[in-house]
């Protein structure tokens, strides 16, 4: 799908809501940048298990714009908006690797006059441009291109800031010169001692929602991406002791499975993690009984797998 089709498809999602459509279209046209991605009706998971659909989302700068109509002025709805905003901001952090600033939800009150609505939109445009300017060279222009394993192999390296993601584990394996066909397992050796690639399902450590139904393993990640906790439902103490005995020297290159901003399941590079032996032993004493993995690098030299 080229940019023309993508953009028009995003904008038409709000055609049934006249005020929302007016505001989103005006923001996009005034911004006048084809290197900035927009996502309308972005799905976010809330703390209470419900779903929030953000009116307009800018994934490159961790910014959401909500268009508030008359129903949002009611007291019960204002309280819900506060909880909704907190959930969206937390979910943005789980999707984004940008650490330069916190996620933000901006609101447009369309119960105001047209002049006041325009003023609000102008202020939002300023926030968008300021965030892009703050990123400087770290701002990643939107290309709407799916980069293949071959692209990164030619580059000879990958980094978290590159937003490296693939549709299948097979594509991930190609980065390590494995060339797997058919159904590739989510955990495999790279060929270097104690080094494995792991593609688990992860959820934020702070999330109250259980996303691991019928899964014997629960893997969580801290919001700063520095630590991963691995827990087995069946015999958790025995699991931790076995991991300490057999895997304490292990290095894991992480490509967890997640749903991206447009709703597709992807495998995204999260960094290199090592077994934190002392922290893992401490969980046995505290009763948490889980394995602790600590991030030690956010980039990989791919050239070594093709020597």
């Amino acid at each position: 799908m080229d940019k023309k089709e993508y953009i028009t498809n995003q904008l038409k999602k709000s055609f049934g809501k006249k005020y929302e459509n007016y505001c989103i279209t005006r923001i996009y046209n005034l911004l006048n940048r084809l290197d900035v991605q927009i996502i309308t009706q972005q799905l976010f998971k809330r703390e209470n298990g419900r779903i929030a659909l953000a009116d307009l989302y800018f994934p490159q700068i961790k910014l959401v714009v909500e268009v508030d109509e008359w129903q949002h002025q009611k007291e019960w709805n204002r309280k819900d908006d506060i909880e909704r905003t907190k959930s969206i901001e937390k979910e943005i952090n789980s999707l984004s690797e940008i650490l330069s600033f916190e996620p933000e939800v901006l609101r447009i009150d369309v119960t105001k006059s047209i002049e006041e609505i325009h003023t609000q939109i102008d202020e939002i445009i300023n926030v968008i441009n300021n965030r892009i300017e703050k990123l400087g060279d770290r701002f990643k222009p939107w290309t709407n291109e799916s980069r293949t394993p071959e692209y990164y192999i030619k580059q000879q390296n990958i980094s978290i800031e590159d937003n490296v993601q693939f549709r299948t584990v097979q594509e991930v394996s190609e980065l390590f010169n494995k060339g797997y066909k058919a159904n590739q397992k989510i955990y495999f050796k790279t060929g270097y001692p104690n080094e494995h690639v792991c593609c688990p399902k992860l959820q934020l450590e702070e999330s109250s929602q259980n996303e691991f139904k019928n899964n014997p393993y629960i893997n969580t990640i801290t919001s700063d991406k520095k630590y991963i906790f691995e827990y087995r439902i069946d015999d958790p103490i025995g699991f931790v002791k076995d991991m300490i005995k057999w895997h304490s020297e292990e290095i894991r290159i992480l490509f967890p499975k997640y749903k991206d901003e447009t709703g597709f399941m992807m495998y995204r590079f999260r960094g290199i993690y090592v077994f934190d032996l002392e922290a893992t032993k401490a969980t046995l004493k505290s009763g948490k009984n889980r394995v602790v993995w600590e991030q030690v690098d956010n980039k990989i030299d791919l050239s070594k797998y093709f020597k």
Side-chain angles (χ1 to χ4, degrees):
M1 183 185 299
D2 64 16
K3 282 191 174 183
K4 180 178 70 175
E5 291 301 314
Y6 177 89
I7 293 166
T8 52
N9 282 337
Q10 290 298 319
L11 293 177
K12 78 176 184 180
K13 290 182 183 179
S14 60
F15 280 179
K17 300 179 179 180
K18 61 182 181 181
Y19 292 107
E20 181 180 320
N21 179 254
Y22 179 81
C23 292
I24 290 175
T25 303
R26 183 172 176 84
I27 289 171
Y28 187 73
N29 287 329
L30 287 176
L31 186 60
N32 193 29
R33 295 189 60 148
L34 288 175
D35 60 347
V36 175
Q37 181 185 13
I38 61 167
I39 302 176
T40 58
Q41 298 300 302
Q42 169 63 47
L43 184 150
F44 290 105
K45 296 176 184 176
R46 299 183 58 176
E47 289 294 302
N48 57 14
R50 294 167 58 194
I51 296 298
L53 290 175
D55 296 331
L56 179 61
Y57 176 43
F58 295 90
Q60 295 153 288
I61 54 173
K62 298 171 75 168
L63 185 70
V64 162
V65 177
E66 295 276 54
V67 180
D68 291 345
E69 301 188 26
W70 286 263
Q71 66 269 24
H72 289 268
Q73 305 306 314
K74 297 179 180 179
E75 181 64 27
W76 67 269
N77 224 333
R78 284 200 294 269
K79 292 180 179 178
D80 186 66
D81 281 342
I82 293 173
E83 295 177 2
R84 170 189 169 97
T85 296
K86 290 180 179 178
S87 295
I88 288 175
E89 290 174 344
K90 184 176 288 188
E91 186 76 0
I92 290 174
N93 268 337
S94 75
L95 293 171
S96 177
E97 300 294 345
I98 303 169
L99 302 179
S100 301
F101 33 64
E102 293 298 315
E104 188 173 2
V105 178
L106 302 179
R107 297 186 176 278
I108 301 173
D109 183 357
V110 295
T111 66
K112 305 292 185 180
S113 69
I114 189 66
E115 291 82 8
E116 290 174 296
I117 291 173
H118 281 190
T119 297
Q120 294 176 73
I121 290 174
D122 290 341
E123 291 171 353
I124 288 172
I125 296 296
N126 286 333
V127 172
I128 294 170
N129 286 323
N130 287 338
R131 287 200 162 211
I132 294 172
E133 183 178 353
K134 184 176 180 180
L135 281 174
D137 293 340
R138 290 172 297 162
F139 175 72
K140 302 294 182 181
W142 174 55
T143 64
N144 202 37
E145 296 175 354
S146 297
R147 289 178 171 169
T148 64
E150 289 76 18
Y151 170 86
Y152 294 106
I153 292 169
K154 185 178 293 186
Q155 295 288 108
Q156 297 192 334
N157 61 77
I158 59 174
S159 168
I160 282 181
E161 292 185 353
D162 296 329
N163 191 28
V164 181
Q165 53 188 11
F166 301 104
R167 292 283 175 86
T168 66
V169 179
Q170 179 185 327
E171 287 184 310
V172 173
S173 73
E174 292 176 15
L175 295 177
F176 304 93
N177 200 18
K178 289 297 180 180
Y180 289 109
K181 307 301 178 184
N183 293 323
Q184 171 57 29
K185 294 181 179 179
I186 65 170
Y187 176 79
F188 59 89
K189 296 180 180 180
T190 66
Y192 279 79
N194 300 317
E195 190 178 79
H196 292 75
V197 176
C198 190
C199 307
K201 186 175 182 181
L202 285 178
Q203 75 175 37
L204 277 177
E205 173 69 7
E206 298 86 350
S207 176
S208 60
Q209 185 179 0
N210 180 16
E211 299 181 13
F212 297 91
K213 295 178 181 179
N214 303 318
N215 193 329
Y217 293 91
I218 296 177
N219 296 282
T220 58
I221 187 169
T222 54
S223 58
D224 60 6
K225 316 300 188 299
K226 294 299 182 183
Y227 294 95
I228 291 172
F229 306 108
E230 187 177 13
Y231 176 85
R232 190 175 70 187
I233 296 175
D234 179 38
D235 188 17
I237 296 176
F239 169 67
V240 174
K241 290 181 176 179
D242 284 344
M243 291 293 288
I244 290 173
K245 183 177 181 179
W246 302 108
H247 295 269
S248 61
E249 301 296 323
E250 186 171 318
I251 301 168
R252 286 188 177 179
I253 302 171
L254 203 71
F255 283 83
K257 183 179 182 180
Y258 80 107
K259 184 176 288 187
D260 76 359
E261 297 91 345
T262 55
F264 290 103
M265 298 305 299
M266 305 290 285
Y267 294 91
R268 172 181 285 178
F269 175 58
R270 285 292 194 193
I272 301 176
Y273 290 76
V274 296
F275 194 105
D276 190 329
L277 182 59
E278 294 306 314
T280 299
K281 288 180 178 179
T283 70
L284 290 173
K285 295 179 181 179
S286 67
K288 291 186 177 180
N289 305 319
R290 56 190 187 178
V291 176
V292 181
W293 299 89
E294 181 182 7
Q295 188 187 82
V296 293
D297 209 341
N298 60 11
K299 57 185 179 300
I300 305 175
D301 176 9
L302 296 177
S303 64
K304 68 179 185 178
Y305 303 104
F306 294 86
K307 293 179 179 178

